Each structure stands twice: as C-alpha cells, then as structure tokens.
RNA sequence: CGGGGCGUGGCGCAACGGUGGCGCACGUGCUUUGGGAGCACGAGGUUGUGGGUCCGAAUCCCACCGCCCCGACCA
C-alpha cells in the first residue's frame, strides 16, 4: 500500500480527549476515528490489525475444533423474553420496534441465539460435543464509555459456545478454551493473567477472566507473587483473621459528636478501626432494603453483597429518607433497632466481639456491640474487599492488588439457557437432556488497544509481527539525487506485492521530507523499516531498522527481497 | 444517573462585551530530500443549538445537545 494512496492521516498533536497511550497513538497514527461516545470507525490500518488479531483467534479456535459461523446482530425480543433476560437486563440493551411494531433488540451477546439454534438442530447425543464461534458486532449501551477502545458501546467480539452432553464434557471444552486463550494472548503479545471471576449476568458455575494488567483497568485483581494465586477481587475470599475470644462486655452508649466516618470515630474514641463496625445501606433491584455490616477496617464488596443476597437487578445506594424510615441513621448507623431491613453481616464481624457501632441517633455510638446478643443477622457472609497485604487464601503470603483490563473470559454456563429454551438432545439412555453450554468471549478492539498499551514507546506504536498491519514500512529518501532510489524502492514494493496480500508492505512514496517519513514510520509502528537512499545504495543495498530495538544494518537488495517474498523470517 | 471539565477551521490552542486570530495540517508555485524544510500566494469559521440580557455577545445568563474525566454501573 502506497502511503500516497492510503486512507489515513497522522496528527502531529495529541488529540485533547485521548489520555491512554493506546487511544492517543491509534488516533494520531490514523488507525481509528471516533464517531460518538464509545463508537469508533476502524480506518484501513486499524481494520487490518483487527483482521490479524481475528486470524490468530480463528486459528487457535479451529485448533480446538471450533466451527466458525455467523449469527445476527438484530434479534426478536421474544427470544430474549424466553430466557427472562429481556426484563432482567436494564437500559444497556438497545431496544426498538421494527415496521411491524414488533419488539427487537440489538445483540449484546448470543447465548439465546445459540440455544435457539441448538433446539432446532441438535437431536441426538451423537451430534455432541461441538464448539461454534463467530466474530460479530455487539452493542451494549454502557452508562459510560471510557479509555478510547478499552470500553466502548459498539464492538466486535469473538464469542464461542461449547455444547456438551454433560458437565464432564463442558469441563473438557472449558479447559480447552483456557489453553487456547493462553496461546492466543501469547501470540498477540499480551501478557494475560487468568483469574477466577464472578459469573455476573451470564450466570453459570465457573468463570475465568483473562486480565491484562494496566492502571486504567476497571477490575481489581488479587494476586499472590509467592504462589501465583490470582482472582478478581469480586470473588477473592477475605482472609482477615478473627481476633481472639473476649468476654462480651455490656453495651454502652457514648456521645460521639461529628464522628460520621470510621476514621473520625476511631480517632475520637482512641480505638483501632478494627474495633468498629460500619453500616452500608443499599436497596436491591427487587425493592429489599439491605443493611450490610463490615468491620471498620474493611470495605463492602458490592458484587459479593449482590451475590450474597441474590439481588435481582443489582443494588443501588439508599437515600437518607429510606434509611431513616427503617429506624437507622446515616453516619451513626447499625442494625440495632433496625426494622424492615435485610441485615447482612460480614463473616469477620460475626467473629469480632465488642465492636463500636452506630446508635442510630445523631452524635451517638454504642460500645461493645455483639452479633447474636444485640442484633440478629438475616445472613452472615463474606462481603468485604480483600486489601493489599492480606493473607493469600492459598498460601498465606501477602497479596498485592493490581488493576486489570479484561481481555477475554470463559464461562461455564451449564444448562441455564438450554433449559429455558428447551434445547435438549436424546441421550444414549433414551432420555431427553438439556445441552450443557459454555460461553467464551474476546473483544477485538479492546485487545488491539491493549496490544498498543503493551507495545509502544515515546515515538509511537511498536507492533508485534503477528498483528502488524504490514510486515514492513518502506521509505525512499533522496530520490532526486539518484534515480536508482525510486527504481530499487519500486522493485522491492513490487516484489512484496507479488508475494500476496499478507506480504504487502507500506511504501511511503509521498513527496515529503525525510523527517516526516521517518517520524510517521515510527508512529505507525511496522516491525521493520526499510530505507532506500543514495547512502544505503552506496553501502550495498537497503538500510534495515528494527522498530522494537532501533537496531540498524544495511542488507543487500536480494536479501531484503527474500524477506519480502516470505522466504526469510526477518530482513535483518 | 451524581460530581467536575470542555465545546472557536482537519488537529492543538488564543481572543473573555466592541467587525474571530495563531501554530500545525491543507491548495498553488519555486526551492528543498537522512530526522516533523524555506519563501511567496491562497482556501477554509453563520464560534455546538435555541432563547435571553445589551446599542453591541465567541465572550454574560438560561435551557438543550455533544464530548471527556471521576464515581455509580458493567459479559
């Protein structure tokens, strides 16, 4: 591709809205353009990268027996009503009516369609197991997009679905995907950490997320450097040791003016925060009022809380009036005297005697409160966040917390969707059984962005060879001084073009100064820069620069041609 | 949805009550070709939209729209 003809432009200045390196560089180098909040076009360069990422995924999924297909973006709402998700999912699903006034949705994912196909096609156990996948656009009307391509509303995702006779079969496919993902991210140049994760809206019994560590990541990971333990904080068990037994002391109300925070309370009373209890008020989507109690030195993990109370439709913070109506007082709250509220007590609180808790009246707390004696719990569960330095649940060593971006996930769905839609097969035993499903996703654009996050320097992008839009970037310098420059450059370009689309290279044939060409070449980030100039010709051929290292050498035209034609791994 | 910020040419910015400029990019010509070249000429804006205040609004006020950041939310 000749740069004089490529649909792109580079920007000298950073776009004001781009903060993450990947966002900044992909915009500046002309790979993507934004159309609206969380909606992007892929320009030819970006599209080529995306296609290369797609090909890596395709190869690895084919290698575990995946069959590629394609499912629609627009679905009849009735299909989603059958699984209950039409009502369960909120405004993030885009809904509209077609001309016949039928309710339609834009696909957020494709479990329903898969299960619908299964009930249509699968009759016998002999047709199982199998894995199908596709690359398809999803639309999720996220409340907030962010970070360039990291979190968008419209995106292409590879999603695969395993279909098995039983749990044992699902287990096999689940781990086959786990291994395939490991290979995919390795080939993409993405250091990925598989972590145990929450099953979220997908439902299911087991899930892993493949995480790319990045400060902009929206998930917090609990990692143990000693033993390799890795989990999303949403599922990492809290391990804080319970204090030793103590005699239960009598409750005593104390005046604690302006002590509306745990820190203020602890310093006012001169006690450690671990001797206090914190009340957290939320309302579940089903209307239940929940008061969650954790120790003052901990925070509530909302995902754990949602799971503990099985809150359909999630939770939202409670309003002050709602808290008062239940006999409690924000800032001085506790379950003591609470009414019409589901009391959820963190396991650690249940084991910590004589805690300071709110008196449910302004300016007062109560010393020596104890679960069971002074208030009752509807539920005792681990609902608190793991903290940096807490004991690893596996080996006991200190854990660290890191932010991560989810670049892939795998879910054991089980029979949730196939049961709802009646996707069954006739088993060897002559009985009907629901098909057992797994679902596995990788977002293409997010992966492209993460590759840039992992592979760039101050000058621009540094594509790993596996995903670079073109293997090399050819620059001709000083053509006016020596006609052989153009001649040789054209010869190299033609040799690459003749070797097929995958070998095609970028050729900067623009009438620009050397500085512009070199700067753009570095910004665009092809693995190899090939410079033809009077100087290079005088020293024997073509100057070859490796983008990643900056290492330069001069190689013969013949040698470089071997690379361009795919007969040598590198031109260096 | 809460908090904050920003909307001025393709990009980055200035002008902050008195007829909208600058840099880069863009077009033409000449010069220039190993690190974002030089000179000359030129094109490009109903200052996000609507209302209001004022003799006069890019500028002040209100509403709306859009975008970004933090939070809420989130396979």
């Amino acid at each position: 591709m000749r740069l004089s003809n490529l649909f792109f432009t580079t920007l000298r200045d950073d776009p004001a809205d781009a903060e993450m390196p990947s966002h900044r560089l992909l915009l500046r180098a002309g790979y993507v353009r934004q159309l609206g909040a969380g909606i992007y076009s892929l320009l030819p360069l970006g599209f080529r990268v995306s296609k290369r990422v797609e090909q890596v995924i395709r190869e690895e999924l084919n290698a575990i027996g995946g069959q590629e297909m394609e499912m629609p973006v627009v679905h009849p709402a009735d299909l989603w009503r059958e699984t209950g998700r039409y009502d369960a999912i909120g405004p993030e699903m885009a809904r509209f009516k077609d001309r016949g006034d039928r309710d339609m949705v834009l696909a957020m994912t494709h479990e329903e369609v898969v299960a619908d196909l299964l009930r249509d096609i699968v009759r016998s156990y002999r047709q199982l197991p199998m894995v199908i996948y596709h690359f398809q656009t999803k639309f999720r009307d996220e409340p907030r997009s962010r970070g360039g391509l990291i979190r968008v509303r419209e995106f292409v995702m590879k999603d695969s679905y395993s279909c098995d006779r039983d749990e044992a079969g699902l287990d096999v496919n689940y781990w086959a995907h786990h291994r395939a993902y490991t290979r995919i991210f390795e080939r993409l140049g993405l250091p990925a950490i598989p972590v145990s994760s929450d099953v979220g809206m997908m439902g299911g019994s087991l899930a892993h997320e493949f995480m790319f560590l990045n400060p902009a990541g929206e998930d917090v990971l609990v990692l143990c450097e000693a033993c390799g333990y890795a989990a999303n904080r949403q599922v990492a068990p809290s391990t804080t040791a319970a204090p030793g037994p103590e005699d239960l002391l009598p409750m005593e109300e104390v005046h604690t003016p302006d002590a509306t925070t745990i820190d203020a309370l602890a310093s006012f009373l001169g006690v450690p925060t671990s001797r206090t209890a914190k009340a957290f008020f939320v309302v579940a989507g089903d209307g239940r009022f929940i008061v969650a109690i954790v120790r003052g030195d901990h925070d509530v993990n909302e995902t754990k809380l949602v799971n503990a109370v099985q809150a359909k439709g999630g939770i939202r913070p409670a309003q002050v009036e709602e808290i008062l109506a239940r006999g409690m007082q924000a800032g001085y709250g506790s379950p003591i005297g609470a009414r019409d509220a589901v009391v959820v007590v963190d396991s650690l609180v249940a084991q910590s005697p004589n805690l300071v808790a709110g008196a449910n009246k302004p300016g007062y707390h109560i010393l020596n409160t104890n679960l069971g004696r002074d208030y009752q719990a509807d539920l005792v569960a681990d609902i608190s966040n793991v903290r940096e330095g807490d004991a690893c649940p596996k080996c006991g060593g200190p854990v660290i917390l890191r932010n991560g971006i989810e670049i892939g996930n795998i879910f054991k769905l089980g029979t949730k969707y196939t049961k709802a839609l009646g996707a069954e097969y006739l088993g060897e035993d002559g009985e009907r059984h629901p098909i057992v499903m797994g679902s596995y996703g990788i977002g293409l654009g997010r992966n492209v962005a993460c590759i840039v996050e992992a592979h760039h320097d101050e000058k621009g992008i540094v594509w790993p060879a596996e995903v670079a839009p073109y293997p090399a970037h050819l620059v001709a310098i000083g053509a006016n001084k020596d006609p052989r420059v153009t001649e040789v450059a054209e010869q190299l370009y033609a040799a690459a073009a003749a070797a097929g689309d995958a070998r095609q290279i970028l050729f900067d044939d623009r009438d620009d100064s050397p500085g512009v060409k070199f700067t753009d070449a570095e910004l665009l980030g092809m693995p190899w820069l090939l410079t033809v100039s009077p100087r290079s010709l005088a020293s024997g051929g073509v100057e070859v620069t490796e983008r990643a290292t900056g290492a330069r050498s001069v190689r013969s035209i013949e040698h470089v041609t071997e690379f361009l034609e795919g007969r040598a791994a590198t031109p260096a």
Side-chain angles (χ1 to χ4, degrees):
Chain A
M1 173 58 67
R2 291 172 191 271
L3 285 194
S4 62
N5 196 39
L6 179 66
F7 182 54
F8 92 128
T9 186
T10 56
L11 302 173
R12 187 178 291 207
D13 297 310
D14 286 333
D17 284 341
E19 299 202 337
M20 290 184 71
S22 59
H23 190 198
R24 208 181 72 229
L25 292 171
L26 288 168
L27 282 171
R28 275 194 57 204
Y31 283 80
V32 303
R33 280 295 182 273
Q34 181 170 7
L35 182 61
I39 305 178
Y40 286 81
S41 297
L42 292 181
L43 302 183
L45 284 173
F47 183 67
R48 256 182 105 92
V49 175
S50 184
K51 285 293 163 189
R52 299 215 58 196
V53 170
E54 188 178 304
Q55 186 56 26
V56 167
I57 297 170
R58 177 175 291 121
E59 287 170 12
E60 295 298 338
L61 284 175
N62 288 347
I64 61 168
Q67 304 181 54
E68 187 169 359
M69 59 179 298
E70 187 168 286
M71 289 174 270
V73 182
V74 174
H75 303 178
D78 281 345
L79 180 59
W80 286 73
R81 288 196 177 100
E82 285 192 68
T83 58
R85 283 163 120 191
Y86 187 78
D87 298 312
I89 295 174
E92 75 182 89
M93 182 154 71
R95 300 150 205 256
F96 64 100
K97 286 180 185 293
D98 68 8
R99 65 193 301 161
D101 207 35
R102 288 174 285 262
D103 288 321
M104 309 295 284
V105 306
L106 290 184
M108 299 175 56
T109 173
H110 284 78
E111 283 78 15
E112 275 79 359
V113 177
V114 171
D116 178 65
L117 289 167
L118 290 175
R119 69 180 163 181
D120 181 29
I121 292 171
V122 175
R123 295 280 167 269
S124 158
Y125 71 94
R126 296 175 200 276
Q127 292 168 275
L128 302 173
M130 54 111 185
V131 172
I132 53 180
Y133 72 95
H134 71 342
F135 295 91
Q136 185 58 285
T137 297
K138 318 279 178 186
F139 185 82
R140 295 181 187 177
D141 197 357
E142 303 285 355
R144 190 187 150 207
S145 55
R146 70 186 89 191
L149 292 189
I150 296 298
R151 183 171 199 76
V152 293
R153 297 193 296 167
E154 182 188 310
F155 57 99
V156 174
M157 176 167 142
K158 181 289 298 177
D159 40 327
S160 39
Y161 301 89
S162 63
C163 310
D164 280 282
R165 301 171 189 177
D166 50 31
E167 278 290 329
L170 170 59
D171 201 58
V172 170
N173 265 323
Y174 184 85
W175 292 105
H177 271 88
H178 189 104
R179 287 190 296 276
Y181 274 32
T182 301
R183 285 190 294 269
I184 288 166
F185 296 125
E186 201 173 292
R187 288 179 62 183
L188 296 181
L190 282 174
I193 301 174
V195 305
S196 309
S197 68
D198 184 55
V199 293
M201 84 166 187
M202 306 296 299
S205 58
L206 180 64
H208 283 86
E209 292 164 336
F210 286 76
M211 290 289 188
F212 171 72
L213 294 188
N214 184 281
E218 301 174 88
D219 288 282
V220 177
L221 313 182
V222 177
L223 306 173
C224 175
E225 289 171 315
C227 74
Y229 174 82
N232 194 307
R233 183 152 75 167
Q234 295 170 339
V235 299
S238 184
T239 57
T240 306
E246 292 173 22
D247 292 333
L248 300 192
L249 303 175
M251 287 205 294
E252 180 187 343
E253 189 172 285
V254 290
H255 186 44
T256 52
D258 300 322
T260 56
T261 65
I262 289 294
D263 283 343
L265 175 68
S267 67
F268 179 82
L269 293 176
V271 300
T273 54
S274 60
R275 302 290 297 187
T276 67
K278 184 190 292 186
F280 182 73
F281 308 103
V282 296
V283 176
D286 51 30
R288 285 179 294 163
F289 186 96
I290 294 160
V291 52
I293 307 300
V294 296
R295 237 171 51 176
D297 54 334
H298 282 258
D299 289 310
V300 172
N301 183 290
E302 298 189 19
T303 302
K304 287 183 179 179
L305 180 58
V306 166
N307 290 337
V309 300
Q310 300 183 318
K312 296 264 188 298
I315 54 176
R316 63 163 174 85
Q319 314 279 336
V320 173
E321 307 81 60
E322 293 173 318
I323 298 168
L324 286 171
R326 268 76 181 185
M328 290 176 284
Q329 180 72 43
Y332 303 92
S334 76
I336 297 171
R339 55 180 184 272
D340 302 327
V342 178
V343 178
V344 184
V345 175
D346 186 58
S347 318
L348 181 62
V349 169
Q351 299 167 22
S352 301
N354 301 324
L355 298 179
V356 181
N360 287 325
K361 58 181 180 180
Y364 290 90
H365 281 83
I366 300 174
L367 306 183
N368 307 318
T369 67
N370 290 283
L371 173 65
R373 184 191 68 181
D374 309 319
Y375 62 97
Q376 304 302 319
D378 294 291
L379 191 63
V380 174
D382 173 8
I383 54 167
S384 66
N385 264 334
V386 172
R387 304 163 305 179
E388 179 104 19
D390 279 356
C392 169
K394 199 161 136 197
C395 76
V399 297
I400 56 172
L401 302 182
R402 291 289 182 271
N403 289 84
I405 297 169
E406 183 185 346
I407 52 178
N409 63 34
I410 56 178
F411 281 93
K412 281 192 180 182
L413 295 178
T415 55
K416 176 174 172 180
Y417 297 94
T418 50
K419 269 183 181 161
L421 292 178
E424 301 176 326
Y425 68 92
L426 196 58
E428 218 169 348
D429 56 5
E431 300 288 321
R432 304 194 66 80
H433 304 280
I435 295 167
V436 182
M437 278 177 66
S439 118
Y440 316 88
I442 296 178
L444 290 195
R446 181 180 283 189
N447 273 261
V448 169
C450 286
I451 292 168
V452 176
E453 288 291 319
H455 300 277
H456 71 273
D457 59 22
E458 66 289 344
K459 293 174 175 171
I461 301 171
V462 186
W463 291 114
E466 185 95 58
V467 297
Y470 296 91
H473 189 124
L474 174 64
V475 170
I477 302 292
N480 58 331
K481 288 187 176 169
D482 183 346
R484 287 182 58 221
V485 167
T486 304
E487 198 180 300
V488 170
E490 289 289 351
Q491 177 194 327
L492 293 173
Y493 180 64
D501 183 69
R503 299 304 309 171
Q504 200 185 153
I505 61 173
L506 275 184
F507 176 22
D508 194 345
D509 60 334
R510 297 174 300 177
D511 186 22
D512 269 309
S513 68
V516 171
K517 293 182 179 182
F518 288 134
T519 307
D520 274 352
E522 284 156 346
L523 179 60
L524 291 174
M526 302 315 127
W528 300 99
L529 173 63
L530 309 176
T531 309
V532 179
S533 67
R535 188 198 287 182
S536 79
L537 293 174
S539 43
V542 182
E543 184 180 86
V544 173
T545 309
E546 186 175 16
R547 176 66 181 88
T549 62
R552 286 186 202 186
S553 55
V554 176
R555 296 293 169 197
S556 70
I557 294 167
E558 293 70 34
H559 180 78
V560 171
T561 303
E562 277 185 34
F563 166 74
L564 294 175
E565 292 177 345
R567 291 182 286 123
T570 83

